[in-house]
Amino acid sequence: MTHRAQNYIVSHMNTTEIMSKERWQRVLENSQDRETPFQLILSDVIEEKYQELLDAIPFAKIYYAVKANPAPAVLSLLDRLGSNFDVASVYELRRLQELGISADRMSCGNTIKKFEHIKEFYAAGIRLFVTDSEGDLRNIAMAAPGSKIMVRLMTEGAQTADWPLSRKFGCSPDLAGDLLILARKLGLQPWGLSFHVGSQQRDITAWDSALSKVSYLFTWLLENEDLKLSCINMGGGFPATYRERTNPVQTYADEIKRYLEEDYGDILPEIIIEPGRSLVGDSGVLVSEIVLISRKSRTALERWVYQDCGRFGGLMETLGEAIHYPILCERNGPLEQVILAGPTCDSMDTLYEDYRYELPLSLAVGDRLYWLSTGAYTSSYSAIEFNGFPPLQTLVI
Ligand SMILES: Cc1ncc(COP(=O)(O)O)c(C=O)c1O
C-alpha cells in the first residue's frame, strides 16, 4: 500500500497545530516501505522546543531528563545545544559518557540508588545529588563526599497532572529541613530544594504551591539554622501537545517567574529545570498498522481496533488511559467510536476502552495509524520480547 499525504484526519486536532505540512511530508517520506511499528523522531522539533524553553525561562539552567528519550542521537543533539543532563541511573550515565558528555554537566535526580552506584556517579564526576531520605543521604555522604545536596519536597497537583509522580518521591518540609541540616553535619553541601509537580502538569498554580513551601524553608533554615540555600530545582512537568489543551510554555514561564519574584525579588537563587516530555514529546511520530477490526456482538456500537503496537510496544503511558495522543489515520468520512488495543495476548494491552477515540468507519486492516507527540516515554518503555515482539525501533531524522 502506498501512503500518501492527502486524506488524513486527526481526531479532535488539526495537524497543523502540531506539525507543519513540510514536517508531515517528511514523516511520510521516511515512513514509506518501512515495516511497522516504528517511531520517527524529528530532531528539528527538539531543537525548536529547546530554544523555546531557553527563551521563555532564560534564568534557568536546563538539565534534560534523559529518561524521557535516551536515544543517542537525541542526547548528542541536546549536548550540541548546550543542555545539561539529569540521570536516573548509572546506565544513563554510561550512555552519556560513551557520547563524550562530561559528568560535570550531569545531576543525579533519582532519590533511589544503590551505594555502589553512588560511588560510580561520584567517580565519574557527578557532584549534584537529589535525595529525600536519611538512608540515601548517609550513603551519599560516604560514597560522594562533599557533594551538593538537593532535598526533594513532596508536592500536590496529582489531580491536574496527566502523569503524576506524587507519594513515591519527596518528603514533607519538616523532614526536608532536617535532611539539609544533617547534610551539613555530614560534610555535604546543603545546596537547595527540588520538586516535581507531576508530568504533563496542566495547572500552573501547582508550581505556586510548591514554591511557597520552598520559600518557607529557605527563610526558616536561614533564620533558625544559619543555613543559606542556593538553588531551586523545579523538575519537569511542562507539557507536550496531546489532545487536551494546555497553556503555552511562555505562560508557564511568566507565571513561574512571577511566583519567584514575589518570594526572592530581583535576586533569584540558582534555578534548575529538568524538562523531559516538553522537550522531546512533540518530536515523535509512532507509526503502527491495523491488524484486526472486530465487533464483540452483532449489535455492538463500537469496534475493537487492534494494531501492531500496544502498551508493550512503547505506548505505556496509556496505562490508566492517562496520556491521550493525537492519532492520524489514512481515511476520511463518517466516524465511529473505537476501542484501541495492541497485538499481544494480554488484556492489559488494551490502550483506550473508557476514553473513546473516533475513527472513520472506512478504516481497514492494513491501514496505518500515526501517533503524534510520542517522542517522550515510549521507546524506552517498550518490552524487549513480550510475546516475542521486538522492541520499538526508533529513527531520528
Ligand atoms: C527527577 C525527574 N526530573 C525530571 C523529570 C521529567 O519530567 P517531565 O517529563 O514531566 O518534564 C522526571 C520525570 O519522571 C523526573 O523523575
Side-chain angles (χ1 to χ4, degrees):
M1 177 167 190
T2 320
H3 303 278
R4 272 176 278 118
Q6 56 263 41
N7 293 338
Y8 286 82
I9 70 132
V10 192
S11 4
H12 298 264
M13 177 75 73
N14 185 346
T15 351
T16 52
E17 271 182 44
I18 298 181
M19 204 178 287
S20 67
K21 265 197 163 148
E22 178 275 319
R23 278 198 180 128
W24 181 235
Q25 199 56 49
R26 254 194 298 145
V27 167
L28 293 173
E29 276 160 20
N30 284 279
S31 302
Q32 292 286 347
D33 308 323
R34 196 176 293 281
E35 194 187 343
T36 61
F38 58 88
Q39 180 192 48
L40 299 176
I41 297 289
L42 299 158
S43 54
D44 54 336
V45 175
I46 301 177
E47 233 173 300
E48 224 169 80
K49 292 284 170 188
Y50 186 84
Q51 196 53 50
E52 183 187 13
L53 201 58
L54 211 58
D55 293 344
I57 319 187
F59 52 88
K61 225 169 148 184
I62 296 177
Y63 281 71
Y64 169 62
V66 174
K67 57 178 82 72
N69 189 327
V74 169
L75 300 175
S76 295
L77 169 64
L78 287 162
D79 174 32
R80 278 200 303 282
L81 295 173
S83 182
N84 302 286
F85 297 87
D86 181 62
V87 297
S89 66
V90 290
Y91 312 103
E92 287 185 350
L93 161 70
R94 290 174 200 164
R95 178 165 296 185
L96 290 169
Q97 284 178 314
E98 277 161 25
L99 297 169
I101 299 168
S102 89
D104 58 3
R105 287 167 60 201
M106 298 181 208
S107 60
C108 173
N110 193 347
T111 56
I112 306 153
K113 39 204 177 287
K114 289 181 180 172
F115 183 75
E116 287 305 318
H117 288 183
I118 302 174
K119 275 184 164 170
E120 183 173 337
F121 287 128
Y122 185 74
I126 295 185
R127 295 292 180 270
L128 184 56
F129 292 87
V130 179
T131 191
D132 62 4
S133 66
E134 183 175 337
D136 184 53
L137 181 65
R138 289 190 182 276
N139 279 346
I140 299 170
M142 279 186 283
S147 293
K148 290 177 177 169
I149 295 297
M150 309 285 300
V151 174
R152 180 159 169 175
L153 285 169
M154 220 183 249
T155 58
E156 289 108 44
Q159 273 84 34
T160 48
D162 289 338
W163 195 259
L165 298 162
S166 53
R167 302 285 324 148
K168 185 175 174 189
F169 305 104
C171 60
S172 62
D174 57 349
L175 182 59
D178 291 349
L179 291 176
L180 286 161
I181 295 164
L182 178 61
R184 179 170 62 183
K185 274 197 200 128
L186 295 172
L188 295 157
Q189 297 182 61
W191 198 242
L193 290 153
S194 84
F195 60 82
H196 194 305
V197 292
S199 199
Q200 190 72 7
Q201 176 55 262
R202 286 185 275 128
D203 181 4
I204 304 179
T205 63
W207 275 268
D208 193 15
S209 34
L211 283 169
S212 57
K213 285 184 193 167
V214 169
S215 153
Y216 166 78
L217 272 169
F218 261 63
T219 309
W220 192 90
L221 285 167
L222 185 62
E223 289 176 356
N224 295 282
E225 294 290 332
D226 195 26
L227 197 163
K228 187 168 166 38
L229 297 178
S230 308
C231 180
I232 305 173
N233 178 342
M234 300 196 295
F238 303 103
T241 314
Y242 303 123
R243 287 177 62 161
E244 286 77 16
R245 279 186 68 205
T246 53
N247 280 291
V249 162
Q250 188 63 55
T251 311
Y252 280 72
D254 292 345
E255 288 299 289
I256 288 170
K257 186 154 187 259
R258 191 166 63 76
Y259 305 144
L260 285 167
E261 282 171 356
E262 274 168 18
D263 290 332
Y264 306 95
D266 289 341
I267 304 169
L268 298 184
E270 181 183 329
I271 304 289
I272 286 177
I273 52 173
E274 295 172 350
R277 190 183 299 280
S278 61
L279 281 185
V280 295
D282 289 3
S283 72
V285 180
L286 190 154
V287 187
S288 66
E289 185 183 297
I290 296 175
V291 178
L292 176 71
I293 301 179
S294 69
R295 288 185 198 267
K296 295 290 181 192
S297 75
R298 284 184 190 158
T299 51
L301 294 172
E302 72 282 313
R303 289 166 300 161
W304 280 70
V305 173
Y306 303 90
Q307 31 120 53
D308 60 4
C309 185
R311 207 161 264 172
F312 301 99
L315 294 170
M316 184 56 84
E317 290 197 325
T318 57
L319 201 66
E321 309 195 12
I323 297 291
H324 304 144
Y325 300 103
I327 302 176
L328 272 162
C329 75
E330 302 172 299
R331 306 220 183 226
N332 234 322
L335 303 174
E336 189 190 45
Q337 287 196 345
V338 295
I339 296 167
L340 282 163
T344 62
C345 297
D346 192 316
S347 59
M348 205 260 234
D349 196 10
T350 304
L351 304 174
Y352 301 104
E353 189 167 5
D354 294 326
Y355 181 83
R356 289 293 168 90
Y357 278 81
E358 292 197 329
L359 291 173
L361 261 171
S362 54
L363 205 67
V365 168
D367 283 3
R368 286 182 164 195
L369 294 182
Y370 296 83
W371 297 68
L372 305 189
S373 300
T374 43
Y377 306 112
T378 47
S379 47
S380 54
Y381 265 134
S382 76
I384 52 165
E385 59 170 3
F386 188 59
N387 283 207
F389 289 93
L392 184 66
Q393 297 303 309
T394 296
L395 183 74
V396 181
I397 55 172

